[in-house]
């Protein structure tokens, strides 16, 4: 689909990647961008970037009531960007792993599912439109340091595949974006090189316009994907060696 003149909805819009998506959508000529997030003040600031085109929407992707209200308000959407995410940076055996895992699944997996179900009718009414799911390279290979996060992203990727198949009949395209570590607050766990949020947004939307089903945005992500395709066991073994602390 073409971004120009589209009407988009971005979840997690006030975070690093979400904010970059808003900027890139505006740069590519989106007619309107609904920006969803929990912080009303941050949403208000974000909307000032283009007051005539950016519409703030209070949203928590774990709340059925807020999602239903958002779907009613943004009934003209033809592009949904499921970007909201949570990472507790915990190993599966950490002291609070269960509580963290529940939150990661609720946001990363169930949140994506809730949003897709709520907005599918609007996308159908718009002629199909598209859904972009910001997943993670860690959906493909587990990082024990983020064991429960990896599990939630693997579930989200499986959901992405199902949505693509189920929504094909209404001509809704579904794209998975799988970046490696990104230079955001969530990526602060490592001092390794990172993909910029701008590259994630730009490469993802370019892939959407090109009709692709999957994208690894940024050179670091593309390099990781090439390494994984060449020798997935080696990549998995490397990531498995990065163990969490006992806390």
């Amino acid at each position: 689909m073409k971004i120009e003149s589209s009407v988009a909805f971005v979840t997690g819009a006030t975070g690093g990647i979400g904010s970059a998506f808003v900027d890139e959508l505006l740069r590519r000529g989106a007619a309107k961008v609904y920006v969803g997030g929990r912080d009303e003040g941050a949403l208000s600031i974000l909307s000032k970037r283009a007051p005539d085109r950016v519409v703030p929407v209070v949203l928590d992707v774990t709340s059925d009531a807020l999602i239903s209200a958002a779907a009613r308000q943004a009934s003209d959407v033809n592009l949904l960007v499921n970007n909201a995410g949570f990472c507790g940076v915990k190993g599966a055996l950490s002291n609070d792993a269960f509580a963290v895992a529940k939150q990661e699944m609720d946001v990363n997996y169930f949140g994506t599912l809730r949003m897709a179900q709520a907005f599918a009718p609007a996308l159908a009414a718009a002629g199909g439109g598209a859904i972009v799911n910001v997943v993670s390279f860690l959906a493909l290979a587990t990082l024990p340091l983020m064991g429960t996060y990896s599990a939630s992203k693997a579930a989200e990727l499986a959901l992405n595949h199902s949505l693509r198949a189920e929504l094909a009949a209404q001509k809704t395209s579904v794209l998975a974006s799988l970046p490696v570590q990104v230079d955001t607050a969530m990526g602060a766990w490592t001092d390794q090189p990172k993909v910029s949020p701008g590259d994630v947004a730009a490469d993802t939307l370019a892939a959407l316009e090109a009709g692709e089903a999957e994208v690894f945005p940024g050179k670091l992500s593309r390099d990781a994907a090439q390494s994984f395709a060449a020798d997935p066991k080696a990549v998995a073994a490397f990531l498995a060696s990065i163990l969490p602390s006992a806390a």
Side-chain angles (χ1 to χ4, degrees), residues 173-225:
S173 60
V174 179
L175 169 68
S177 179
L178 296 95
V180 294
Q181 64 272 14
V182 183
D183 191 11
T184 64
M186 188 182 293
W189 63 274
T190 178
D191 58 3
Q192 294 297 311
K194 299 168 188 175
V195 180
S196 74
D199 283 349
V200 173
D203 288 359
T204 299
L205 293 180
L208 179 65
E209 291 197 316
E212 297 177 20
E214 191 172 82
V215 61
F216 295 88
K219 185 178 185 303
L220 287 174
S221 303
R222 291 191 292 274
D223 289 348

Side-chain angles (χ1 to χ4, degrees), residues 11-210:
T11 70
T14 60
I17 296 176
S19 177
F21 265 108
V22 174
D23 286 341
E24 187 65 16
L25 286 163
L26 293 173
R27 189 187 72 79
R28 289 174 179 261
K32 185 191 300 184
V33 182
Y34 293 97
V35 291
R38 294 176 296 173
D39 187 331
E40 292 187 60
L43 290 173
S44 178
I45 293 171
L46 186 59
S47 68
K48 292 178 181 178
R49 294 182 184 180
D52 57 331
R53 296 163 65 196
V54 177
V55 182
V57 180
V58 175
L59 177 70
D60 181 334
V61 298
T62 68
S63 168
D64 290 329
L66 288 177
I67 289 175
S68 295
R72 289 193 298 270
Q73 180 180 350
S75 60
D76 53 345
V77 161
N78 65 354
L79 170 58
L80 172 63
V81 180
N82 284 315
N83 166 71
F86 172 72
C87 178
V89 194
K90 295 289 183 180
L93 298 180
S94 61
N95 294 337
D96 53 353
F98 190 75
V100 168
K102 287 179 66 176
Q103 187 173 356
E104 287 167 338
M105 286 295 291
D106 208 16
V107 175
N108 302 337
Y109 174 71
F110 289 113
T112 297
L113 176 57
R114 291 184 186 100
M115 289 295 295
Q117 288 183 333
F119 279 85
L123 296 174
I131 296 176
V132 171
N133 294 317
V134 180
V135 190
S136 169
F137 182 80
L138 293 181
L140 301 176
T142 299
L143 180 66
L145 180 66
M146 300 178 178
T148 55
Y149 175 78
S150 293
S152 73
K153 285 299 183 177
E156 185 182 15
L157 182 59
L159 172 63
N160 180 87
H161 298 332
S162 295
L163 291 174
R164 184 182 304 126
E166 292 188 50
L167 293 174
Q170 70 173 45
K171 299 181 180 179
T172 296
S173 60
V174 179
L175 169 68
S177 179
L178 296 95
V180 294
Q181 64 272 14
V182 183
D183 191 11
T184 64
M186 188 182 293
W189 63 274
T190 178
D191 58 3
Q192 294 297 311
K194 299 168 188 175
V195 180
S196 74
D199 283 349
V200 173
D203 288 359
T204 299
L205 293 180
L208 179 65
E209 291 197 316

